[in-house]
Each structure stands twice: as structure tokens, then as C-alpha cells.
Amino acid sequence: RQPGLAKVYEALLGFEGDEFYKEAWPELEGIAFRELQQRFPDAVPIGIYSPDGKVSLLPLPSRVLKEGEQIIVIAEDNDTYKPQ
């Protein structure tokens, strides 16, 4: 049993606070996943969603974003983040 785990789940999965979002950013194609952390100061990139429906959470830092792939992030709202 993990005290406080329910609060973590509520924070991640509830409708208050930060939520999961995915979006394609064509200007970031060819960028390694490790570099995405610096590109999103207002979100936390956690994975990649491929056009074939495959989800890769916490991919290798060297994993390069390919054409048509979406970046999965945790952010306050879908209009509160964008790459820099």
C-alpha cells in the first residue's frame, strides 16, 4: 500500500489541474525526444503517439520524432503550451 498514491492518480486523471494532451508539431520532426523537454517550458513531454496508433511512453532520449507523430504531454490546458 502506498500512502498518497490516490492523490497522484487524482492529480493526473482528474478534471482539475494538469491533463494529458497529444498534438502534432511538424516543426519538431527530426528532433530527439531528449530535446523536447527544453522546447516545452509549460508542459512535460512524456511520450509519442504514432499514426498507426502505437503509444510510446518515455521513449529513449535518442528517439527521433517522425513525420505524422504526435507528442504526448502533461499540461494545464490544451491552449497553455506550445513549443519554443
Side-chain angles (χ1 to χ4, degrees), residues 16-65:
E16 292 183 27
D18 294 347
E19 299 172 344
F20 293 96
Y21 297 98
K22 64 180 174 61
E23 187 169 341
W25 299 94
E27 66 270 28
L28 298 179
E29 291 171 3
I31 300 291
F33 189 77
R34 75 168 69 81
E35 296 177 39
L36 296 178
Q37 305 296 326
Q38 299 167 11
R39 301 284 184 118
F40 288 95
D42 299 317
V44 179
I46 62 164
I48 297 173
Y49 181 83
S50 299
D52 64 1
K54 182 179 177 186
V55 174
S56 178
L57 294 179
L58 298 176
L60 293 173
S62 60
R63 167 71 160 76
V64 173
L65 190 66

